[in-house]
Amino acid sequence: MAPTHTPDNTPAPPLTLKPGTAWADAWQRCLTTAPEAFRGDRVLNLWAASWQQDGHPLPATSPVDDTPIAGPPRLDAPTAQQAVRASLDQHRAWRHIPLPERRARVSATLDALTQHRELLALLLVWEIGKPWRLAQADVDRAIDGVRWYVDHIDRLLADRTPLPGPVSNIASWNYPMSVLVHAMLVQALAGNAVIAKTPTDGGVACLTLACALAAREGIPLTLVSGSGSELSAPLVRSAEIGCVSFVGGRDTGARIATEVADLGKRHILEQEGLNTWGIWNFTDWPSLTAVIPKLFDYGKQRCTAYPRFVVQRSAFDAFLSAYLPAVRSLRTGHPLAVASPTDPLPTLDFGPLINAAKAKELADQVAEAIDRGAVPLHRGSTADAHFLPGQDTSAYLHPVTLLNPPPSSPLHHAEPFGPVDTIVLVDTEAELLAAMNASNGALVATLSTDDPATYARLAPQIRAFKTGHGTPRSRGDREELFGGFGASWRGAFVGGELLVRAVTDGPPGERLPGNFPDYHLMP
């Protein structure tokens, strides 16, 4: 990184780690806050209502700067099966706990999460590389989202009962709190015991602390670690499981979908899709410039990120004039580095990717796409980044924008899950729709057009669960529904009342909204 300078043009002092934010500081706070769940230099598994020092901890390092951190204590399949059986016992007892008591216990858990909000966020910074602002937002969205369900659960549970067995959760690493912990607490509020597998790539300490706070309030949670191949049988195929909830990629999701369909098991499978932003007969370029940096939050490591722009060829010059200044303004670097110990933590658009292997994979895909004809329009520079002197930066990838990635490139048809934008030019509405639907289904999409009638005509032909008119769509919170089209979603839709319906039984013959092997039903 090039040295910065003070107003009198002398070199600025090097950045330093803000005092009190080191991994060792966060770990010591975990040992003090939840000694039952953290032991020495390792986390424990939670099953049979107690913390177990079993499993084989994997070594792990932080994507932030390669600092050694706690790794997941991986269980073998027989031990995980014992945990599932114990969760069924918890489920049979919990489902008969009166709703007012369940609500009180979940509310107490939310109060505890609020009390330890900053520690949970700091763990997210170290474990998955979230900048401080986004880490805090992840924790807050989990707490605020579940509070909405606490306030509305009487209405949402009217004439509904818990499932026959616990809900099993397998989720990706990118939103441990606002996706996984949020879902777990709502599932428990609805009367189910809950099992979760810690993501292999990161988040184990944050999830362990959150579950420790919930377990103290008597919430029937099971938290285990292990490889997908080892734990698939107990966590997906076990007869004890009442529902499987999965958030992740299409390859793993497709395998789980086949298993649960064969078993006739309740399922919620949120998978990736290539979310696209279309530009057609559009002139409000300042609004686009303003939103571009927000689309790079967390380096586009989100299921609702927009990595593909489909642009009307005649507007390409105006698009670039709006897009390039915005992407050049992005700030990335070490989330905890400051110029002075008293400075606030930096406001960054994103930090590292989840690990060095992912950064290299994407860099290789970019290089291969360029070799095969893609045109590089923008490549971020290390000189503009916010790093500590000499820190490891192998997990960082600076923003890249490519025009017309070749069909042979994964960047042409799949979600990169990183700060890589691709642009495809089109000349007709038919080409626009074909390019926006390139991945056979998506979670979100946006169409920017000046004419409301054009939007109303084209939006229904875009295969995304949510489509915005010139504004980004997100997963949503509280009453907002969420799902997907095509290969981006299997099973029950969620969000609002649908999340509670997905993990409870209703009247005989009920057909849940969602994408199932024998029917598709929109809300």
Side-chain angles (χ1 to χ4, degrees):
M1 184 179 75
T4 57
H5 291 76
T6 62
D8 62 0
N9 209 34
T10 59
L15 299 176
T16 61
L17 190 68
K18 186 172 179 64
T21 66
W23 170 255
D25 298 319
W27 186 254
Q28 186 57 51
R29 291 170 65 184
C30 289
L31 292 171
T32 301
T33 303
E36 70 272 26
F38 297 85
R39 193 75 48 80
D41 61 352
R42 64 174 292 176
V43 299
L44 306 186
N45 289 298
L46 172 62
W47 60 275
S50 64
W51 292 95
Q52 314 274 355
Q53 191 165 337
D54 50 15
H56 303 283
L58 286 181
T61 58
S62 170
V64 170
D65 59 7
D66 208 37
T67 293
I69 61 175
R74 298 173 65 158
L75 295 181
D76 56 24
T79 307
Q81 188 63 59
Q82 293 180 52
V84 170
R85 293 194 187 103
S87 181
L88 179 60
D89 292 338
Q90 290 180 293
H91 180 84
R92 288 170 171 164
W94 178 254
R95 63 178 293 153
H96 297 295
I97 297 292
L99 179 57
E101 184 174 344
R102 296 203 306 265
R103 183 195 292 113
R105 293 189 188 186
V106 172
S107 294
T109 299
L110 297 176
D111 292 341
L113 294 175
T114 301
Q115 179 183 351
H116 298 287
R117 167 182 180 264
E118 290 199 356
L119 176 55
L120 291 163
L122 184 58
L123 293 171
L124 290 179
V125 174
W126 280 110
E127 293 194 284
I128 62 174
K130 286 202 169 184
W132 183 240
R133 170 180 61 88
L134 298 178
Q136 290 178 299
D138 192 16
V139 177
D140 292 342
R141 282 184 60 193
I143 296 169
D144 295 343
V146 178
R147 285 200 193 280
W148 182 87
Y149 284 90
V150 169
D151 292 340
H152 293 82
I153 194 63
D154 289 282
R155 169 179 62 84
L156 299 176
L157 275 181
D159 301 320
R160 306 194 68 81
T161 58
L163 296 174
V167 182
S168 178
N169 294 268
I170 302 170
S172 57
W173 42 264
N174 53 342
Y175 283 89
M177 291 297 297
S178 63
V179 173
L180 183 51
V181 170
H182 176 278
M184 293 167 67
L185 292 179
V186 175
Q187 292 160 8
L189 182 64
N192 302 290
V194 180
I195 304 168
K197 174 186 173 298
T198 61
T200 303
D201 287 327
V204 61
C206 179
L207 285 168
T208 299
L209 178 59
C211 287
L213 299 175
R216 289 178 180 177
E217 305 301 335
I219 307 296
L221 303 183
T222 295
L223 184 68
V224 295
S225 296
S227 68
S229 58
E230 187 81 7
L231 299 194
S232 177
L235 297 188
V236 175
R237 297 197 295 271
S238 291
E240 293 91 340
I241 299 297
C243 176
V244 175
S245 177
F246 169 82
V247 179
R250 288 192 180 186
D251 291 343
T252 302
R255 290 194 295 272
I256 293 176
T258 300
E259 294 175 358
V260 295
D262 291 344
L263 296 168
K265 195 182 294 291
R266 183 77 61 89
H267 56 285
I268 306 161
L269 307 180
E270 177 187 328
Q271 300 168 185
E272 63 190 333
L274 183 60
N275 305 318
T276 58
W277 192 300
I279 306 287
W280 190 259
N281 292 342
F282 176 71
T283 59
D284 185 11
W285 302 112
S287 69
L288 183 67
T289 300
V291 80
I292 291 297
K294 300 174 184 176
L295 302 183
F296 277 87
D297 274 357
Y298 195 34
K300 302 208 172 192
Q301 296 177 108
R302 298 177 289 119
C303 66
T304 54
Y306 287 83
R308 167 68 51 81
F309 287 89
V310 182
V311 181
Q312 189 174 15
R313 190 183 306 272
S314 60
F316 184 48
D317 57 338
F319 171 84
L320 282 184
S321 295
Y323 173 90
L324 289 176
V327 78
R328 288 169 181 155
S329 73
L330 296 172
R331 296 190 70 219
T332 185
H334 194 303
L336 303 172
V338 292
S340 169
T342 58
D343 286 349
L345 290 170
T347 301
L348 303 174
D349 296 289
F350 60 95
L353 299 192
I354 187 59
N355 52 47
K358 178 60 179 180
K360 182 180 185 304
E361 173 193 295
L362 264 185
D364 289 347
Q365 289 179 1
V366 168
E368 182 181 46
I370 293 172
D371 285 344
R372 295 182 179 181
V375 178
L377 299 176
H378 172 75
R379 280 189 271 200
S381 169
T382 302
D384 302 322
H386 184 86
F387 291 136
L388 297 174
Q391 78 161 80
D392 184 285
T393 60
S394 58
Y396 291 79
L397 182 72
H398 302 287
V400 177
T401 307
L402 300 179
L403 174 66
N404 289 337
S408 59
S409 169
L411 299 175
H412 179 80
H413 54 77
E415 181 181 25
F417 230 63
V420 178
D421 275 351
T422 57
I423 300 172
V424 173
L425 303 182
V426 295
D427 296 297
T428 67
E429 289 184 357
E431 289 179 308
L432 174 81
L433 292 170
M436 293 189 72
N437 293 330
S439 69
N440 182 27
L443 304 176
V444 297
T446 290
L447 178 61
S448 290
T449 180
D450 293 344
D451 181 21
T454 299
Y455 176 82
R457 178 167 48 82
L458 296 179
Q461 301 178 66
I462 299 170
R463 289 184 58 75
F465 188 80
K466 297 180 180 181
T467 302
H469 187 182
T471 57
R473 299 304 308 271
S474 68
R475 183 185 182 90
D477 292 307
R478 302 175 180 88
E479 69 271 17
E480 192 171 356
L481 309 182
F482 194 53
F485 275 106
S488 69
W489 197 283
R490 311 285 181 90
F493 296 147
V494 296
E497 65 175 320
L498 295 190
L499 176 53
V500 172
R501 290 172 64 183
V503 296
T504 55
D505 283 330
E510 178 184 48
R511 285 158 57 96
L512 295 174
N515 303 324
F516 294 94
D518 54 345
Y519 75 88
H520 301 273
L521 180 63
M522 293 299 294

